[in-house]
Amino acid sequence: MKKMKKNKFWSFFFSFIPGALEMYMGFMKMGLSLMSIFGMVCFVTSLLNIGALSFIGIVVWFYSFFHALNLLALTQEEIEQVEDEYMFGTNQVVFSKVANYIKSNTIIVAALVIVLGGYVVWKACFIFLGDRYGYFWYIEEAATRFLFGALIVLAGIHMIRKKKKELFGETLTIERKEENKEDAKE
């Protein structure tokens, strides 16, 4: 599909839908990635019933809107030079890194799958119970927020520990290089 400018009215209209203008202009990979990310954020927000996650959806929407406006500002020659790539680093290298991470951390991935499956079963039980046991709704709401809040905290701790190992590894490497330089001078 040829990448090109189209009707101004429809271009402006599609710029309000994440990824739609990119697809309309012929950038299918860009449009698909933006639309998928926005849709996934909306899906997860509604599944988990945590309204605070909608902030991510708002950020994705604004990014998509201004990305679309920037594409509209390009000339036809500039549009033809823009590569149609998946956005946010979703290329083969990232996919292989994710696959390697999953292979090396199968226990973590399996635990997350079990927790997510348990959560879906939990939600199904409350749908089945309905209004007969209204107080269970409070338990379910608190458990959901606690569970995913704890997962976010654990993910943050994991990221800090990983960065700390990287920093201390670099520090030790620099110190060893300096010691080797001093030994070479003597």
Side-chain angles (χ1 to χ4, degrees):
M1 175 178 246
K2 185 175 179 183
K3 300 174 282 190
M4 56 190 255
K5 284 191 167 192
K6 304 270 184 150
N7 180 290
K8 289 185 179 186
F9 170 77
W10 287 112
S11 296
F12 182 73
F13 176 77
F14 285 134
S15 67
F16 287 98
I17 304 168
L21 178 70
E22 286 81 355
M23 293 173 120
Y24 180 63
M25 290 179 70
F27 297 102
M28 293 300 176
K29 291 179 181 178
M30 283 183 196
L32 180 65
S33 59
L34 280 169
M35 202 172 278
S36 298
I37 291 168
F38 184 75
M40 188 60 75
V41 168
C42 291
F43 172 74
V44 170
T45 301
S46 66
L47 176 71
L48 301 179
N49 198 19
I50 300 175
L53 291 178
S54 62
F55 172 75
I56 298 169
I58 292 168
V59 170
V60 172
W61 185 89
F62 273 102
Y63 177 85
S64 175
F65 181 76
F66 288 109
H67 182 263
L69 292 181
N70 285 332
L71 280 178
L72 285 175
L74 298 176
T75 64
Q76 183 61 38
E77 293 80 30
E78 292 171 330
I79 289 174
E80 291 172 2
Q81 293 176 357
V82 174
E83 298 264 341
D84 185 20
E85 296 177 347
Y86 292 107
M87 302 188 76
F88 305 111
T90 52
N91 56 25
Q92 191 62 33
V93 174
V94 172
F95 287 136
S96 63
K97 285 182 181 180
V98 169
N100 290 337
Y101 182 81
I102 290 171
K103 286 178 186 175
S104 64
N105 295 306
T106 51
I107 293 174
I108 294 171
V109 173
L112 288 173
V113 168
I114 290 170
V115 166
L116 186 60
Y119 176 74
V120 171
V121 170
W122 178 267
K123 292 284 275 187
C125 289
F126 282 102
I127 290 170
F128 175 73
L129 292 174
D131 289 331
R132 290 178 279 171
Y133 302 100
Y135 60 92
F136 281 116
W137 180 83
Y138 295 109
I139 296 169
E140 189 265 340
E141 189 71 21
T144 301
R145 290 175 187 264
F146 176 79
L147 176 68
F148 287 98
L151 287 174
I152 291 169
V153 169
L154 290 174
I157 290 171
H158 175 71
M159 290 175 7
I160 289 172
R161 284 185 178 167
K162 185 176 178 181
K163 189 64 176 177
K164 190 175 180 182
K165 285 180 184 177
E166 287 176 11
L167 289 175
F168 283 122
E170 290 175 10
T171 304
L172 292 175
T173 306
I174 292 170
E175 289 175 358
R176 287 181 188 151
K177 286 180 181 178
E178 289 176 2
E179 289 175 2
N180 291 340
K181 286 180 183 177
E182 292 176 7
D183 291 340
K185 288 179 181 178
E186 294 176 354

Short mmCIF file of all heavy atoms in Angstrom, two decimals, residues 123-174:
data_model
loop_
_atom_site.label_atom_id
_atom_site.label_comp_id
_atom_site.label_asym_id
_atom_site.label_seq_id
_atom_site.Cartn_x
_atom_site.Cartn_y
_atom_site.Cartn_z
N LYS A 123 -13.46 -13.91 39.65
CA LYS A 123 -14.47 -13.01 39.10
C LYS A 123 -15.70 -13.79 38.65
O LYS A 123 -16.83 -13.35 38.84
CB LYS A 123 -13.91 -12.23 37.90
CG LYS A 123 -12.84 -11.23 38.24
CD LYS A 123 -13.38 -10.00 38.86
CE LYS A 123 -13.83 -9.04 37.79
NZ LYS A 123 -14.23 -7.75 38.33
N ALA A 124 -15.48 -14.95 38.04
CA ALA A 124 -16.61 -15.76 37.57
C ALA A 124 -17.47 -16.23 38.73
O ALA A 124 -18.70 -16.27 38.62
CB ALA A 124 -16.10 -16.95 36.77
N CYS A 125 -16.86 -16.57 39.86
CA CYS A 125 -17.62 -16.99 41.04
C CYS A 125 -18.51 -15.86 41.54
O CYS A 125 -19.67 -16.10 41.92
CB CYS A 125 -16.69 -17.46 42.15
SG CYS A 125 -15.88 -19.02 41.81
N PHE A 126 -18.02 -14.66 41.54
CA PHE A 126 -18.83 -13.54 42.02
C PHE A 126 -19.94 -13.17 41.04
O PHE A 126 -20.99 -12.71 41.46
CB PHE A 126 -17.95 -12.33 42.34
CG PHE A 126 -17.25 -12.49 43.64
CD1 PHE A 126 -15.92 -12.85 43.67
CD2 PHE A 126 -17.92 -12.34 44.84
CE1 PHE A 126 -15.27 -13.03 44.87
CE2 PHE A 126 -17.28 -12.52 46.05
CZ PHE A 126 -15.96 -12.88 46.06
N ILE A 127 -19.69 -13.38 39.77
CA ILE A 127 -20.77 -13.17 38.81
C ILE A 127 -21.87 -14.20 39.06
O ILE A 127 -23.05 -13.88 39.03
CB ILE A 127 -20.23 -13.27 37.36
CG1 ILE A 127 -19.35 -12.06 37.07
CG2 ILE A 127 -21.37 -13.36 36.35
CD1 ILE A 127 -18.58 -12.16 35.77
N PHE A 128 -21.46 -15.43 39.34
CA PHE A 128 -22.42 -16.50 39.60
C PHE A 128 -23.22 -16.23 40.88
O PHE A 128 -24.42 -16.42 40.92
CB PHE A 128 -21.69 -17.84 39.71
CG PHE A 128 -22.58 -18.98 40.09
CD1 PHE A 128 -23.50 -19.49 39.18
CD2 PHE A 128 -22.53 -19.54 41.36
CE1 PHE A 128 -24.33 -20.52 39.51
CE2 PHE A 128 -23.35 -20.57 41.71
CZ PHE A 128 -24.26 -21.08 40.78
N LEU A 129 -22.52 -15.75 41.93
CA LEU A 129 -23.21 -15.49 43.20
C LEU A 129 -24.16 -14.31 43.09
O LEU A 129 -25.18 -14.27 43.76
CB LEU A 129 -22.19 -15.25 44.31
CG LEU A 129 -21.35 -16.46 44.72
CD1 LEU A 129 -20.30 -16.04 45.73
CD2 LEU A 129 -22.22 -17.57 45.28
N GLY A 130 -23.80 -13.36 42.26
CA GLY A 130 -24.68 -12.21 42.02
C GLY A 130 -24.92 -11.37 43.26
O GLY A 130 -24.07 -11.22 44.13
N ASP A 131 -26.13 -10.83 43.36
CA ASP A 131 -26.47 -9.91 44.44
C ASP A 131 -26.81 -10.61 45.75
O ASP A 131 -27.01 -9.97 46.77
CB ASP A 131 -27.64 -9.03 44.02
CG ASP A 131 -27.23 -8.02 42.98
OD1 ASP A 131 -26.06 -7.63 42.97
OD2 ASP A 131 -28.09 -7.65 42.17
N ARG A 132 -26.91 -11.94 45.72
CA ARG A 132 -27.26 -12.65 46.96
C ARG A 132 -26.22 -12.43 48.03
O ARG A 132 -26.53 -12.43 49.21
CB ARG A 132 -27.37 -14.15 46.68
CG ARG A 132 -28.59 -14.48 45.83
CD ARG A 132 -28.64 -15.94 45.55
NE ARG A 132 -27.71 -16.19 44.44
CZ ARG A 132 -27.35 -17.37 44.00
NH1 ARG A 132 -27.81 -18.45 44.60
NH2 ARG A 132 -26.54 -17.49 43.00
N TYR A 133 -24.99 -12.24 47.64
CA TYR A 133 -23.91 -12.05 48.60
C TYR A 133 -23.17 -10.76 48.27
O TYR A 133 -22.02 -10.77 47.89
CB TYR A 133 -22.95 -13.24 48.57
CG TYR A 133 -23.64 -14.54 48.87
CD1 TYR A 133 -24.00 -15.41 47.85
CD2 TYR A 133 -23.94 -14.89 50.18
CE1 TYR A 133 -24.64 -16.60 48.12
CE2 TYR A 133 -24.58 -16.07 50.47
CZ TYR A 133 -24.93 -16.93 49.43
OH TYR A 133 -25.57 -18.10 49.71
N GLY A 134 -23.84 -9.65 48.43
CA GLY A 134 -23.30 -8.35 48.06
C GLY A 134 -22.03 -7.97 48.77
O GLY A 134 -21.18 -7.28 48.23
N TYR A 135 -21.86 -8.44 50.01
CA TYR A 135 -20.65 -8.07 50.75
C TYR A 135 -19.40 -8.72 50.15
O TYR A 135 -18.31 -8.27 50.39
CB TYR A 135 -20.78 -8.42 52.23
CG TYR A 135 -21.01 -9.88 52.51
CD1 TYR A 135 -19.94 -10.73 52.75
CD2 TYR A 135 -22.29 -10.41 52.58
CE1 TYR A 135 -20.14 -12.07 53.02
CE2 TYR A 135 -22.50 -11.74 52.86
CZ TYR A 135 -21.43 -12.57 53.06
OH TYR A 135 -21.63 -13.89 53.33
N PHE A 136 -19.56 -9.77 49.36
CA PHE A 136 -18.40 -10.37 48.71
C PHE A 136 -17.78 -9.41 47.70
O PHE A 136 -16.60 -9.51 47.39
CB PHE A 136 -18.78 -11.68 48.00
CG PHE A 136 -18.89 -12.85 48.92
CD1 PHE A 136 -20.11 -13.48 49.09
CD2 PHE A 136 -17.79 -13.31 49.62
CE1 PHE A 136 -20.21 -14.56 49.93
CE2 PHE A 136 -17.89 -14.39 50.46
CZ PHE A 136 -19.11 -15.02 50.62
N TRP A 137 -18.57 -8.49 47.21
CA TRP A 137 -18.04 -7.52 46.24
C TRP A 137 -16.90 -6.72 46.87
O TRP A 137 -15.89 -6.46 46.23
CB TRP A 137 -19.16 -6.58 45.77
CG TRP A 137 -18.66 -5.58 44.78
CD1 TRP A 137 -18.50 -5.77 43.46
CD2 TRP A 137 -18.22 -4.25 45.06
NE1 TRP A 137 -18.00 -4.63 42.87
CE2 TRP A 137 -17.81 -3.67 43.84
CE3 TRP A 137 -18.12 -3.48 46.21
CZ2 TRP A 137 -17.33 -2.40 43.74
CZ3 TRP A 137 -17.64 -2.19 46.11
CH2 TRP A 137 -17.26 -1.66 44.89
N TYR A 138 -17.06 -6.35 48.15
CA TYR A 138 -16.02 -5.60 48.83
C TYR A 138 -14.74 -6.43 48.99
O TYR A 138 -13.64 -5.94 48.83
CB TYR A 138 -16.51 -5.12 50.20
CG TYR A 138 -17.63 -4.14 50.09
CD1 TYR A 138 -18.93 -4.49 50.47
CD2 TYR A 138 -17.42 -2.85 49.61
CE1 TYR A 138 -19.97 -3.58 50.36
CE2 TYR A 138 -18.45 -1.94 49.49
CZ TYR A 138 -19.72 -2.31 49.87
OH TYR A 138 -20.75 -1.43 49.76
N ILE A 139 -14.94 -7.71 49.30
CA ILE A 139 -13.78 -8.60 49.42
C ILE A 139 -13.08 -8.73 48.08
O ILE A 139 -11.84 -8.64 47.99
CB ILE A 139 -14.22 -9.99 49.94
CG1 ILE A 139 -14.80 -9.88 51.36
CG2 ILE A 139 -13.06 -10.98 49.91
CD1 ILE A 139 -15.49 -11.14 51.82
N GLU A 140 -13.86 -8.92 47.05
CA GLU A 140 -13.30 -9.07 45.71
C GLU A 140 -12.55 -7.82 45.29
O GLU A 140 -11.45 -7.88 44.75
CB GLU A 140 -14.43 -9.40 44.72
CG GLU A 140 -13.96 -9.78 43.35
CD GLU A 140 -13.94 -8.62 42.38
OE1 GLU A 140 -14.61 -7.62 42.64
OE2 GLU A 140 -13.24 -8.72 41.37
N GLU A 141 -13.12 -6.67 45.53
CA GLU A 141 -12.50 -5.39 45.16
C GLU A 141 -11.19 -5.19 45.92
O GLU A 141 -10.17 -4.82 45.35
CB GLU A 141 -13.47 -4.24 45.45
CG GLU A 141 -13.03 -2.91 44.93
CD GLU A 141 -13.12 -2.82 43.41
OE1 GLU A 141 -13.86 -3.59 42.79
OE2 GLU A 141 -12.42 -1.97 42.86
N ALA A 142 -11.20 -5.47 47.23
CA ALA A 142 -9.99 -5.32 48.04
C ALA A 142 -8.93 -6.32 47.61
O ALA A 142 -7.74 -5.99 47.52
CB ALA A 142 -10.33 -5.49 49.51
N ALA A 143 -9.33 -7.55 47.35
CA ALA A 143 -8.37 -8.58 46.94
C ALA A 143 -7.72 -8.22 45.60
O ALA A 143 -6.52 -8.40 45.42
CB ALA A 143 -9.06 -9.94 46.85
N THR A 144 -8.52 -7.71 44.68
CA THR A 144 -7.99 -7.32 43.38
C THR A 144 -6.95 -6.22 43.53
O THR A 144 -5.85 -6.30 42.98
CB THR A 144 -9.13 -6.83 42.46
OG1 THR A 144 -10.07 -7.86 42.32
CG2 THR A 144 -8.61 -6.41 41.11
N ARG A 145 -7.30 -5.21 44.25
CA ARG A 145 -6.37 -4.09 44.42
C ARG A 145 -5.11 -4.52 45.17
O ARG A 145 -4.00 -4.13 44.83
CB ARG A 145 -7.05 -2.93 45.13
CG ARG A 145 -8.09 -2.28 44.25
CD ARG A 145 -8.87 -1.19 45.00
NE ARG A 145 -9.95 -0.72 44.18
CZ ARG A 145 -9.86 0.38 43.42
NH1 ARG A 145 -8.77 1.08 43.40
NH2 ARG A 145 -10.90 0.75 42.69
N PHE A 146 -5.28 -5.35 46.20
CA PHE A 146 -4.13 -5.83 46.96
C PHE A 146 -3.22 -6.68 46.09
O PHE A 146 -2.00 -6.48 46.07
CB PHE A 146 -4.57 -6.65 48.18
CG PHE A 146 -3.43 -7.25 48.93
CD1 PHE A 146 -2.68 -6.48 49.80
CD2 PHE A 146 -3.07 -8.57 48.74
CE1 PHE A 146 -1.60 -7.02 50.48
CE2 PHE A 146 -2.00 -9.12 49.41
CZ PHE A 146 -1.26 -8.35 50.28
N LEU A 147 -3.79 -7.61 45.35
CA LEU A 147 -3.01 -8.53 44.52
C LEU A 147 -2.21 -7.78 43.47
O LEU A 147 -0.99 -7.96 43.36
CB LEU A 147 -3.93 -9.55 43.86
CG LEU A 147 -3.28 -10.52 42.89
CD1 LEU A 147 -2.35 -11.46 43.65
CD2 LEU A 147 -4.34 -11.29 42.14
N PHE A 148 -2.86 -6.93 42.71
CA PHE A 148 -2.14 -6.25 41.65
C PHE A 148 -1.25 -5.13 42.18
O PHE A 148 -0.22 -4.84 41.59
CB PHE A 148 -3.11 -5.78 40.57
CG PHE A 148 -3.60 -6.94 39.75
CD1 PHE A 148 -4.82 -7.52 40.02
CD2 PHE A 148 -2.80 -7.48 38.76
CE1 PHE A 148 -5.25 -8.62 39.29
CE2 PHE A 148 -3.22 -8.58 38.04
CZ PHE A 148 -4.45 -9.15 38.31
N GLY A 149 -1.60 -4.56 43.30
CA GLY A 149 -0.70 -3.60 43.94
C GLY A 149 0.57 -4.29 44.40
O GLY A 149 1.68 -3.77 44.22
N ALA A 150 0.42 -5.48 44.99
CA ALA A 150 1.59 -6.25 45.43
C ALA A 150 2.46 -6.65 44.25
O ALA A 150 3.69 -6.60 44.33
CB ALA A 150 1.14 -7.47 46.21
N LEU A 151 1.83 -7.03 43.14
CA LEU A 151 2.60 -7.39 41.94
C LEU A 151 3.39 -6.19 41.41
O LEU A 151 4.53 -6.33 40.98
CB LEU A 151 1.67 -7.94 40.86
CG LEU A 151 1.14 -9.34 41.09
CD1 LEU A 151 0.12 -9.71 40.01
CD2 LEU A 151 2.26 -10.36 41.13
N ILE A 152 2.79 -5.02 41.45
CA ILE A 152 3.49 -3.81 40.99
C ILE A 152 4.67 -3.50 41.89
O ILE A 152 5.77 -3.17 41.42
CB ILE A 152 2.51 -2.62 40.91
CG1 ILE A 152 1.51 -2.85 39.77
CG2 ILE A 152 3.25 -1.30 40.72
CD1 ILE A 152 0.35 -1.88 39.77
N VAL A 153 4.48 -3.63 43.21
CA VAL A 153 5.57 -3.39 44.16
C VAL A 153 6.70 -4.40 43.93
O VAL A 153 7.88 -4.03 43.89
CB VAL A 153 5.05 -3.46 45.61
CG1 VAL A 153 6.19 -3.49 46.61
CG2 VAL A 153 4.15 -2.27 45.90
N LEU A 154 6.35 -5.68 43.76
CA LEU A 154 7.37 -6.71 43.53
C LEU A 154 8.12 -6.46 42.22
O LEU A 154 9.34 -6.66 42.15
CB LEU A 154 6.73 -8.09 43.53
CG LEU A 154 6.24 -8.58 44.89
CD1 LEU A 154 5.49 -9.90 44.74
CD2 LEU A 154 7.39 -8.72 45.86
N ALA A 155 7.41 -6.02 41.19
CA ALA A 155 8.07 -5.70 39.92
C ALA A 155 9.04 -4.54 40.11
O ALA A 155 10.16 -4.56 39.58
CB ALA A 155 7.04 -5.37 38.85
N GLY A 156 8.66 -3.53 40.89
CA GLY A 156 9.55 -2.41 41.17
C GLY A 156 10.78 -2.83 41.94
O GLY A 156 11.90 -2.41 41.63
N ILE A 157 10.59 -3.70 42.93
CA ILE A 157 11.74 -4.20 43.71
C ILE A 157 12.68 -4.99 42.80
O ILE A 157 13.90 -4.85 42.88
CB ILE A 157 11.24 -5.06 44.89
CG1 ILE A 157 10.56 -4.16 45.93
CG2 ILE A 157 12.38 -5.84 45.52
CD1 ILE A 157 9.85 -4.91 47.02
N HIS A 158 12.10 -5.81 41.93
CA HIS A 158 12.92 -6.59 41.00
C HIS A 158 13.73 -5.68 40.08
O HIS A 158 14.92 -5.92 39.85
CB HIS A 158 12.01 -7.51 40.17
CG HIS A 158 12.73 -8.27 39.10
ND1 HIS A 158 13.60 -9.30 39.38
CD2 HIS A 158 12.73 -8.13 37.75
CE1 HIS A 158 14.10 -9.76 38.24
NE2 HIS A 158 13.58 -9.07 37.25
N MET A 159 13.11 -4.62 39.59
CA MET A 159 13.81 -3.68 38.70
C MET A 159 14.93 -2.96 39.44
O MET A 159 16.02 -2.77 38.88
CB MET A 159 12.82 -2.70 38.09
CG MET A 159 11.90 -3.33 37.09
SD MET A 159 10.56 -2.38 36.35
CE MET A 159 10.74 -0.73 36.84
N ILE A 160 14.70 -2.58 40.70
CA ILE A 160 15.73 -1.89 41.48
C ILE A 160 16.90 -2.83 41.74
O ILE A 160 18.07 -2.44 41.61
CB ILE A 160 15.14 -1.34 42.80
CG1 ILE A 160 14.23 -0.16 42.49
CG2 ILE A 160 16.24 -0.96 43.78
CD1 ILE A 160 13.45 0.34 43.69
N ARG A 161 16.60 -4.07 42.11
CA ARG A 161 17.68 -5.04 42.37
C ARG A 161 18.51 -5.28 41.11
O ARG A 161 19.73 -5.38 41.17
CB ARG A 161 17.10 -6.35 42.87
CG ARG A 161 16.67 -6.30 44.31
CD ARG A 161 16.22 -7.64 44.78
NE ARG A 161 15.85 -7.58 46.18
CZ ARG A 161 15.19 -8.52 46.82
NH1 ARG A 161 14.83 -9.62 46.17
NH2 ARG A 161 14.89 -8.38 48.08
N LYS A 162 17.84 -5.39 39.97
CA LYS A 162 18.55 -5.64 38.72
C LYS A 162 19.46 -4.45 38.40
O LYS A 162 20.61 -4.63 38.01
CB LYS A 162 17.53 -5.86 37.60
CG LYS A 162 18.13 -6.23 36.29
CD LYS A 162 17.06 -6.53 35.27
CE LYS A 162 17.67 -6.86 33.93
NZ LYS A 162 16.66 -7.13 32.92
N LYS A 163 18.95 -3.22 38.57
CA LYS A 163 19.75 -2.03 38.30
C LYS A 163 20.92 -1.94 39.27
O LYS A 163 22.02 -1.55 38.90
CB LYS A 163 18.86 -0.79 38.37
CG LYS A 163 19.54 0.46 37.89
CD LYS A 163 19.87 0.35 36.42
CE LYS A 163 20.46 1.63 35.89
NZ LYS A 163 20.83 1.52 34.50
N LYS A 164 20.66 -2.32 40.52
CA LYS A 164 21.71 -2.27 41.54
C LYS A 164 22.84 -3.24 41.18
O LYS A 164 24.01 -2.89 41.29
CB LYS A 164 21.11 -2.64 42.89
CG LYS A 164 22.00 -2.41 44.06
CD LYS A 164 21.25 -2.70 45.35
CE LYS A 164 22.09 -2.48 46.56
NZ LYS A 164 21.38 -2.81 47.80
N LYS A 165 22.48 -4.43 40.70
CA LYS A 165 23.50 -5.39 40.28
C LYS A 165 24.30 -4.84 39.11
O LYS A 165 25.52 -5.00 39.05
CB LYS A 165 22.85 -6.72 39.89
CG LYS A 165 22.38 -7.53 41.06
CD LYS A 165 21.74 -8.83 40.60
CE LYS A 165 21.17 -9.60 41.76
NZ LYS A 165 20.49 -10.84 41.31
N GLU A 166 23.61 -4.19 38.15
CA GLU A 166 24.30 -3.62 37.00
C GLU A 166 25.27 -2.53 37.45
O GLU A 166 26.41 -2.47 37.00
CB GLU A 166 23.30 -3.02 36.02
CG GLU A 166 22.51 -4.03 35.24
CD GLU A 166 21.45 -3.38 34.35
OE1 GLU A 166 21.48 -2.14 34.19
OE2 GLU A 166 20.60 -4.11 33.82
N LEU A 167 24.82 -1.66 38.36
CA LEU A 167 25.66 -0.55 38.82
C LEU A 167 26.87 -1.07 39.59
O LEU A 167 27.99 -0.61 39.38
CB LEU A 167 24.85 0.42 39.68
CG LEU A 167 23.82 1.26 38.93
CD1 LEU A 167 23.01 2.08 39.91
CD2 LEU A 167 24.49 2.17 37.93
N PHE A 168 26.64 -2.01 40.51
CA PHE A 168 27.76 -2.52 41.29
C PHE A 168 28.70 -3.34 40.41
O PHE A 168 29.91 -3.34 40.63
CB PHE A 168 27.28 -3.34 42.49
CG PHE A 168 26.80 -2.49 43.62
CD1 PHE A 168 25.52 -2.62 44.11
CD2 PHE A 168 27.63 -1.53 44.19
CE1 PHE A 168 25.07 -1.83 45.14
CE2 PHE A 168 27.19 -0.74 45.22
CZ PHE A 168 25.91 -0.89 45.71
N GLY A 169 28.18 -4.02 39.41
CA GLY A 169 29.02 -4.75 38.46
C GLY A 169 29.91 -3.80 37.69
O GLY A 169 31.09 -4.06 37.48
N GLU A 170 29.36 -2.65 37.25
CA GLU A 170 30.14 -1.65 36.53
C GLU A 170 31.18 -1.02 37.45
O GLU A 170 32.30 -0.78 37.05
CB GLU A 170 29.23 -0.57 35.96
CG GLU A 170 28.37 -1.04 34.82
CD GLU A 170 27.38 0.02 34.35
OE1 GLU A 170 27.50 1.18 34.80
OE2 GLU A 170 26.50 -0.33 33.56
N THR A 171 30.81 -0.76 38.70
CA THR A 171 31.73 -0.15 39.66
C THR A 171 32.91 -1.08 39.91
O THR A 171 34.06 -0.65 39.92
CB THR A 171 31.00 0.16 40.98
OG1 THR A 171 29.88 0.98 40.70
CG2 THR A 171 31.92 0.86 41.96
N LEU A 172 32.62 -2.36 40.12
CA LEU A 172 33.70 -3.31 40.35
C LEU A 172 34.61 -3.43 39.13
O LEU A 172 35.82 -3.53 39.26
CB LEU A 172 33.12 -4.68 40.73
CG LEU A 172 32.41 -4.75 42.08
CD1 LEU A 172 31.79 -6.13 42.27
CD2 LEU A 172 33.38 -4.46 43.21
N THR A 173 34.04 -3.40 37.94
CA THR A 173 34.83 -3.47 36.72
C THR A 173 35.74 -2.26 36.59
O THR A 173 36.92 -2.39 36.25
CB THR A 173 33.91 -3.57 35.49
OG1 THR A 173 33.02 -4.66 35.67
CG2 THR A 173 34.69 -3.75 34.22
N ILE A 174 35.24 -1.07 36.88
CA ILE A 174 36.04 0.15 36.82
C ILE A 174 37.16 0.10 37.84
O ILE A 174 38.30 0.46 37.55
CB ILE A 174 35.14 1.40 37.02
CG1 ILE A 174 34.20 1.55 35.82
CG2 ILE A 174 35.99 2.64 37.22
CD1 ILE A 174 33.12 2.59 36.02
#
